Amino acid sequence: DQQVKQNSPSLSVQEGRISILNCDYTNSMFDYFLWYKKYPAEGPTFLISISSIKDKNEDGRFTVFLNKSAKHLSLHIVPSQPGDSAVYFCAASALRGSGNTGKLIFGQGTTLQVKP
Amino acid sequence: ETGVTQSPTHLIKTRGQQVTLRCSSQSGHNTVSWYQQALGQGPQFIFQYYREEENGRGNFPPRFSGLQFPNYSSELNVNALELDDSALYLCASIPREAGPLGGDTQYFGPGTRLTVL
C-alpha cells in the first residue's frame, strides 16, 4: 500500500527553466510534508517542508504547493540549475494523533536532470 | 554535511548470517530513526529510538532490532539475513529540541549498502 506516490520516475529540464516535481498521497491523517534531495553516495538532505495548515511555502528558488482536497503536493524549482540534478523524494508525516513517532513515509523518488 | 556518520559504507553477507550496522549522531540528537531503501524505492521506516528505547516501529519483522547508546550512537541488527534485505540502510537523527516527532529536522547519514548473497 503506497501511501505516498511519485508517479514520474524521471524529469529532464533545461537550465534556467522551471522544474515541477509532483507527489500524491492517500492518507488524510498526513499533516506535514517534506521534500528531500539525494545525491549518489549521500543520505537524503532536507530541502523544504509544508504544514497542512498552509498551501504554499517558499524558500529561495524552491516552492512547495499543497492541495489538500486533491491530496497532492508539488515542488517548483525556478530557475533550475545543473547542480539541482539529483533524486527528489517527497515524504509525509502525521505529527498529530496518538502514538506518533515522527515516522516519515517516502515516495519512490523522481530523478531530476537539469541540462546546461 | 549533517554530522551523521554510518559504518561500514558497504557490506557483503550471505543468507542466514547476522549483521550489525552503526550510526553516530551529533551531540544532543537523542532520537534516531532507521530506514531501509531498496533499489529504485524510497526509504522505508524500520523503527525509531528515543532516549535509548524503541519509540515506534514500521512493518519489519522482529529479526530487525536496534540499540541506542547514551553517547548518541546506535546500532541496527539484522538476524537470519534474507536476499531481500539487500538495500541501503539509512539512519536519521533528530535534535533534542525537536523531540521525537522530528518533522523537518531529521538529519540523514550517507547510509550503509548491504548486499546479501
Side-chain angles (χ1 to χ4, degrees), chain A residues 99-112:
Chain A
N100 171 60
T101 62
K103 162 184 174 181
L104 293 179
I105 308 297
F106 283 85
Q108 310 96 306
T110 295
T111 300
L112 173 65

Side-chain angles (χ1 to χ4, degrees), chain A residues 32 34 43 89 100-102 104 107, chain B residues 35 37 42 48 55 100-101 106 109:
Chain A
Y32 198 77
L34 308 90
F89 292 99
N100 171 60
T101 62
L104 293 179
Chain B
Y35 291 83
Q37 185 181 5
Q48 183 185 78
N55 182 47
L101 299 185
Q106 295 200 31

Side-chain angles (χ1 to χ4, degrees), chain A residues 50 81 92 94:
Chain A
I50 188 167
Q81 299 173 354

Side-chain angles (χ1 to χ4, degrees), chain B residues 6-24:
Chain B
Q6 291 186 244
S7 63
T9 53
H10 296 87
L11 198 53
I12 299 175
K13 291 284 189 179
T14 56
R15 203 168 39 178
Q17 285 189 309
Q18 179 267 342
V19 69
T20 297
L21 310 182
R22 293 181 173 83
C23 174
S24 179

Side-chain angles (χ1 to χ4, degrees), chain A residues 6-51:
Chain A
Q6 293 175 255
N7 292 317
S8 298
S10 62
L11 176 67
S12 183
V13 171
Q14 207 65 36
E15 180 179 7
R17 305 295 291 268
I18 184 172
S19 295
I20 300 176
L21 295 97
N22 294 301
C23 180
D24 297 296
Y25 62 96
T26 58
N27 190 338
S28 57
M29 293 298 292
F30 289 147
D31 53 14
Y32 198 77
F33 304 89
L34 308 90
W35 285 94
Y36 281 83
K37 179 168 71 172
K38 187 178 185 302
Y39 293 117
E42 294 182 14
T45 303
F46 168 73
L47 202 55
I48 193 168
S49 64
I50 188 167
S51 164

